[in-house]
Amino acid sequence: MSELVSAWVEKIRHAAGSATPLRIEGGGSKRFLGRTVDADVLDVAGNTGIVSYEPTELVVTVRGGTPLAELEGVLAGQNQFLAFEPPHFGPRATVAGCIAAGLSGPRRATVGAVRDFVLGVKIIDGRGEIMSFGGQVMKNVAGYDVSRLVAGSLGTLGIILEVSLKVLPRPFAERTIRFSCSESEAIRRLNEWGGQPLPLSASAWADDTLTLRLSGAWAAVDAACVRLGGEAVDADVAAAFWVGLREQQSGFFNADDSLPLCRLAVPSVAPPLALGGEQLIEWGGAQRWLRTDAPLERIRTRAAELGGHATLFRGGDRSGDVFTPLDTAVLAIHRRMKAAFDPAGIFNPGRLYQGI
Amino acid sequence: MKVDEETTLGERDADFSAVDKARVVEALARVLPAGALMYEAEDLHPYECDGLAAYRALPLVVALPTTEAQVVAVLKACSALGVPVVARGAGTGLSGGALPHTQGVLLSLARFNRILDLDPHARTAVVQPGVRNLAISEAAAAHGLYYAPDPSSQIACSIGGNVAENAGGVHCLKYGLTVHNLMRVRAVTIDGDVVEFGNHALDAPGYDLLALMTGSEGMLAVVTEVTVRLTPKPQLAQCVLAAFDDVIRAGDAVAAIIAAGIIPAGLEMMDQAATAAVEQFVHAGYPLDAKAILLCESDGTPEEVAEEIARVRAVLEQSGATEIRVSRDEAERMRFWAGRKAAFPAAGRISPDYYCMDGTIPRKRLGEMLTAIQDMETRYALRCINVFHAGDGNLHPLILFDANQEGELHRAEAFGAEILELSVTLGGTITGEHGVGIEKINQMCSQFTRPELHQFFRVKAAFDAAGLLNPGKAIPTLNRCAEYGRMHVKDGHLPYPDLPRF
């Protein structure tokens, strides 16, 4: 155990003993996510470095504080990448922050989310105990899948010391094409294409424009472009577009930010939201970003009606229900799960839900 | 007491000897219709084991509910009486996960056998847990869709069991395991609460309890409904068969394929002993002089497949393959696969008994593992044939023995235990896809530390505080670990000998 980690263990034991809450922070790039936590910061950015990387095993094990950009650079050196295309939301974004936030980028609908690529974690729990779950292999059903549980838990279950991730080779070919179409037409087409063996890797609809990315073998991408038609987008422009989308820095996201940004996760086939405001649709229809003055309750009701849920992603009241409230029985399981990992309730209390 | 010495209720070696069969029968008869409750010995026998037939036990009673309300009522009754409950799907599991509890209720979900909804536009199917894996793909076929995870027992195994075991298959390097292809699970807790994890969107609020449920071996809740993601069927699949005069070289070729940026739809390896065993059984046309053969499958559009196959062929040539054959048509592709899929039955044909292991190791350690297995063959004086999901490092050594020969069973057990322990030492795991169940529970003590095992019990207690769901499986009590010296398992005779196992 490094000196740094031993110091954290001490600090955690002490905090647990005195029930002193801690706000776990790496690069601070996703500080805006979730509910406000009023607590002293435990800075976990210092625990850096790649523990092991075997390109031919498609696995990398990396310390939590490692900058996401550094990891991506190392993978790029071997022509590999994190296929879930995590948003950074800032130059200091860390790997542990990426896992804890559980946010996936444009490729999510076709390759999977952060949790789909998590193979193992090493954490410190709220007792100051260091534990490892999962491992460095693709297939592993020994014990409960705690590593995937940790993904997206917003630091409420433990501090991520290390994570093992499945990585993939970069696609041989990538092309972006564009169509003019309405919202309902975009949703219809995206779902139709999604049911066909096409090499889709990302989609975005806003301002009556549907942008599609195709990735894979050259032959497959070229054939799909011919079949789908549309207007070809220059490779550099396309690359900037998808990064801008992932980082929420362009177009729709740059517009009026006086209104809160809501994220609706709905079935891809869900019809237009009809909630007014401005909208951007990703993930083949399954992720809808919305800026509207409609009340959050109304947005939540609509999301639930469609079979999904709505998150107050940026802005608005950060002390309220930022995430869709859980059913009673599921909430009770959450409370007990939180207590199982963090009995004194010291890790990011309230970041996810009140009391969790 | 130190914090890490705290124990949860389910963690103690539970004593259910006070369970009164008459009271259980009476309570369940009140909530189940006629014909849904069995408690006479002759009715219980069909349920005495799952696919790991070496372990057998008669449950107190078997409950066969047909509705979720009945499942709720059964679980509430069991909870009130403190009776263990073991959920069972099709009973094809290979690790004894559905082995009945002698003082408990065996809860069969076999009658939950309907596909409730199949939406080709949304590419989802809502199914009851007793629906067979393959039945989903059959129902989706008309729409050009299928359910990707294809465990070898897919013609018989149920989706509920697949969820419980996080079932894999030969295509999971490219298409993922069960956990990657589930959208939503509806389940009943031991308290009788109906809960849903996941939804028909791509994520759900709160902790990822859907992932946690997947592979939890019936320890957390009883699944009553599942939504799976359907995948567009590839237009074409083609398979390359490559022969090598050295096993290590074959392993290196696997690494070279991955290094070339290729993720094949399937990537399997067999050693010479395995090839010889299956060849006399199915006549797949495998080269018998090869020390190892690789099967590498590509799927997609015809253009895509042609491009990938060319790439694979180039890598295999550079990797020193002594022979490369590319399937020319569907019949030949099926023939290439027939041998691989017949490995388990072939083992049963050349040996009175065999014992199948399921460790996963980092692929680069394959050479060490195979060398060690060779050494073990000498030490235990038993033969072992090796089939390997090479793409994802999941090794299935089949230890051949004859239970009627004095000492062979014992040696096979010790042989298997040593392979599992070595899998952990090499940085892998004791089970890649068959689950821990009762079979590998002792090896869990080697793979996890005391705090980690404690934590597993706490996770279970968050769902099942009294420890009534499938007690004694998946996670060993610390007492058990303390007593564990060597693994003691019986022969690995498979029921359903006709089912392909690979």
Side-chain angles (χ1 to χ4, degrees), chain B residues 120-450:
Chain B
H121 194 51
R123 290 147 275 140
T124 55
V126 181
V127 303
Q128 292 188 320
V131 169
R132 291 175 306 111
N133 172 297
L134 191 61
I136 304 174
S137 290
E138 284 167 356
H143 308 287
L145 301 168
Y146 75 117
Y147 175 61
D150 58 346
S152 54
S153 53
Q154 71 175 155
I155 56 168
C157 65
S158 70
I159 193 71
N162 288 180
V163 172
E165 303 296 330
N166 191 13
V170 294
H171 293 101
C172 43
L173 181 65
K174 184 168 176 180
Y175 294 102
L177 306 159
T178 302
V179 70
H180 302 109
N181 290 277
L182 292 180
M183 302 192 71
R184 167 186 155 273
V185 159
R186 187 175 162 100
V188 184
T189 67
I190 188 69
D191 301 322
D193 290 324
V194 176
V195 288
E196 293 208 4
F197 306 126
N199 52 36
H200 287 193
L202 289 181
D203 47 52
Y207 294 141
D208 197 337
L209 300 180
L210 176 62
L212 192 69
M213 272 294 288
T214 314
S216 64
E217 304 197 18
M219 307 283 288
L220 304 182
V222 176
V223 174
T224 54
E225 203 175 289
V226 182
T227 303
V228 299
R229 184 192 323 282
L230 301 174
T231 303
K233 259 178 122 158
Q235 285 169 270
L236 178 72
Q238 222 175 348
C239 187
V240 181
L241 186 159
F244 289 86
D245 56 11
D246 180 72
V247 175
I248 308 297
R249 204 166 293 146
D252 291 344
V254 170
I257 289 171
I258 305 287
I262 303 163
I263 301 292
L267 189 52
E268 298 286 317
M269 190 195 291
M270 301 168 74
D271 70 4
Q272 189 170 23
T275 311
V278 302
E279 190 54 33
Q280 47 176 299
F281 185 43
V282 296
H283 311 294
Y286 290 159
L288 292 173
D289 53 344
K291 292 289 184 206
I293 63 163
L294 281 186
L295 293 173
C296 180
E297 182 150 290
S298 172
D299 67 12
T301 62
E303 304 89 353
E304 197 173 4
V305 171
E307 184 177 323
E308 189 164 279
I309 292 280
R311 223 174 257 137
V312 167
R313 182 190 266 281
V315 172
L316 290 171
E317 278 165 3
Q318 275 174 12
S319 304
T322 52
E323 186 186 346
I324 297 171
R325 297 184 211 161
V326 180
S327 65
R328 285 160 297 187
D329 51 35
E330 193 59 11
E332 189 169 26
R333 185 179 79 89
M334 297 312 280
R335 205 156 51 242
F336 284 0
W337 278 109
R340 172 62 187 86
K341 293 187 178 188
F344 285 40
R349 198 166 169 271
I350 61 167
S351 172
D353 300 282
Y354 69 97
Y355 186 29
C356 171
M357 309 312 295
D358 175 43
T360 301
I361 54 171
R363 270 188 307 264
K364 64 178 171 181
R365 313 299 291 268
L366 177 65
E368 283 165 82
M369 176 58 95
L370 292 178
T371 309
I373 288 178
Q374 272 173 16
D375 169 60
M376 290 178 218
E377 287 185 273
T378 314
R379 275 194 288 117
Y380 293 107
L382 291 173
R383 282 187 303 153
C384 180
I385 70 176
N386 291 293
V387 294
F388 188 41
H389 296 303
D392 43 35
N394 190 196
L395 190 64
H396 292 317
L398 303 168
I399 301 166
L400 310 180
F401 69 101
D402 180 352
N404 291 326
Q405 298 297 315
E406 177 86 27
E408 284 211 4
L409 170 59
H410 182 71
R411 295 209 304 278
E413 290 168 359
F415 193 153
E418 195 171 332
I419 292 174
L420 293 188
E421 307 267 338
L422 183 61
S423 299
V424 176
T425 310
L426 294 178
T429 177
I430 57 171
T431 175
E433 57 183 359
H434 295 171
V436 173
I438 193 70
E439 185 202 21
K440 301 175 203 81
I441 195 151
N442 286 337
Q443 279 71 38
M444 285 291 283
C445 308
S446 313
Q447 188 163 337
F448 293 97
T449 63
R450 286 171 64 99

Side-chain angles (χ1 to χ4, degrees), chain A residues 56-57 132 140 191 219 263, chain B residues 123 203 307 363-364 452:
Chain A
T56 62
E57 303 282 334
S132 294
N140 184 357
N191 281 286
R263 170 186 183 269
Chain B
R123 290 147 275 140
D203 47 52
E307 184 177 323
R363 270 188 307 264
K364 64 178 171 181
E452 289 156 2

